[in-house]
Amino acid sequence: MVILPASIPSPDVSFIQLGPFTIHFYALCILVGIIAATLITNARLTRRGAEPWIIIDLLLWVVPLGIIGARVFHVLTHPDDYFYPGADLLRTLYIWEGGIAIFGALIGGGIGAWIGCRVLGLRFSVFADALAPGLLVAQAFGRFGNWFNQELFGLPTDLPWGLEIDASNPAYPVGLPADVLFHPTFLYEVIWNLLGAAVIVWLGRRLTLEWGRQFALYLIWYGAGRVVWESIRIDPSEVFLGLRVNVWAAIIALVLGIVIFMVQRERHPGRLPSAYLPGRNTTETEGELDSESPESVYVDLSDDADGVSEQGEPAATSRRGS
């Protein structure tokens, strides 16, 4: 008979020392997430007619601005940690001490992606849809960094999957006994994000969602889950109108996703003619038609591996950029 553990232990270490260098597991988790998202997004972009590995050029814009946005959002939503009499304002730049926010990363990374897409001539909606499931996978890997750091856990619980936190941890709530277990919010989000990635891929294939609607599903899915996980976390946070700032951010993401989905469904009922903006891919036929025109030659940009449309006819494919 298999005996399940009565709790989830936390790692004893969160970094390794290699000579003068300190390698934090949190950073490694984020790095693995970025690599996973890159591979997934590249495959999906290529299937949509984009040049293979164009994602590398996009990352030059997305990653730096995403990191900047993540740090700025964290600092602004935790002002008491950085702005007080005698505070060293340079600590606002010390990202290696911890403190990044996914919603800031989405804002900064989104700006970087938009700039990169404009420079490369790629449709922003194509990139956003291709990124959607990979982004959830990346966030799932990143949450393991919270596990290694023993941070961002939830309320006390007596459930068998309660998370063990060292009583000596600075984040341990004052006044609680040393053997209290907490909701493993990192694990909740890992499961939710991986499930969401699978749902987006499945719906994208079944319904052929384009023009940013898969990314809209990402915002809806992640926003809905984050409202729940954020509501049971007990780490310090700014509160506005009775709700944590990140709860408001999650609600905004959810609502924005719904709006994008509905608007794009009405504006673009047709199929995407190309992964590239008009005139930016030299191998495309000049005079690209609008998505709503019945005379447009629409491209099957679904993830069907056999290249056959739902009607049983061979699916058209766009030419890749040179």
Side-chain angles (χ1 to χ4, degrees), residues 74-140:
H74 169 79
V75 170
L76 293 180
T77 54
H78 295 77
D80 293 341
D81 295 341
Y82 301 96
F83 306 107
Y84 52 85
D88 181 5
L89 295 182
L90 285 179
R91 287 190 60 248
T92 59
L93 306 177
Y94 295 172
I95 195 170
W96 55 87
E97 292 184 351
I100 56 176
I102 181 59
F103 291 112
L106 288 175
I107 295 171
I111 294 173
W114 185 84
I115 295 174
C117 285
R118 299 298 296 182
V119 170
L120 298 170
L122 189 69
R123 292 181 188 270
F124 179 75
S125 64
V126 171
F127 170 73
D129 282 342
L131 174 67
L135 187 55
L136 283 170
V137 172
Q139 290 173 265

Side-chain angles (χ1 to χ4, degrees), residues 61-251:
W61 296 95
V62 174
V63 174
L65 289 179
I67 293 174
I68 293 172
R71 182 60 175 179
V72 170
F73 193 96
H74 169 79
V75 170
L76 293 180
T77 54
H78 295 77
D80 293 341
D81 295 341
Y82 301 96
F83 306 107
Y84 52 85
D88 181 5
L89 295 182
L90 285 179
R91 287 190 60 248
T92 59
L93 306 177
Y94 295 172
I95 195 170
W96 55 87
E97 292 184 351
I100 56 176
I102 181 59
F103 291 112
L106 288 175
I107 295 171
I111 294 173
W114 185 84
I115 295 174
C117 285
R118 299 298 296 182
V119 170
L120 298 170
L122 189 69
R123 292 181 188 270
F124 179 75
S125 64
V126 171
F127 170 73
D129 282 342
L131 174 67
L135 187 55
L136 283 170
V137 172
Q139 290 173 265
F141 277 112
R143 282 305 174 194
F144 281 106
N146 299 142
W147 180 50
F148 280 107
N149 284 355
Q150 299 192 36
E151 62 184 4
L152 308 186
F153 45 86
L155 295 165
T157 181
D158 57 0
L159 293 171
W161 55 81
L163 179 66
E164 300 175 11
I165 299 294
D166 294 337
S168 59
N169 189 304
Y172 198 92
V174 177
L176 289 182
D179 58 350
V180 171
L181 301 178
F182 301 89
H183 278 287
T185 50
F186 86 92
L187 183 59
Y188 297 160
E189 191 164 327
V190 167
I191 296 173
W192 180 256
N193 288 351
L194 294 179
L195 179 60
V199 168
I200 290 175
V201 170
W202 181 76
L203 287 177
R205 291 177 175 175
R206 188 171 182 84
L207 304 179
T208 317
L209 301 175
E210 299 174 346
W211 295 100
R213 281 180 283 174
Q214 290 187 49
F215 187 76
L217 287 181
Y218 159 81
L219 292 174
I220 295 169
W221 186 275
Y222 183 71
R226 187 62 184 270
V227 167
V228 178
W229 322 141
E230 191 71 29
S231 297
I232 64 174
R233 275 173 34 176
I234 58 176
D235 53 294
S237 175
E238 291 294 305
V239 176
F240 181 70
L241 296 179
L243 295 177
R244 293 162 64 95
V245 170
N246 282 338
V247 173
W248 283 114
I251 293 173

Side-chain angles (χ1 to χ4, degrees), residues 7-23:
S7 62
I8 300 175
S10 290
D12 295 328
V13 295
S14 61
F15 64 89
I16 55 176
Q17 199 73 34
L18 296 178
F21 301 103
T22 301
I23 309 298

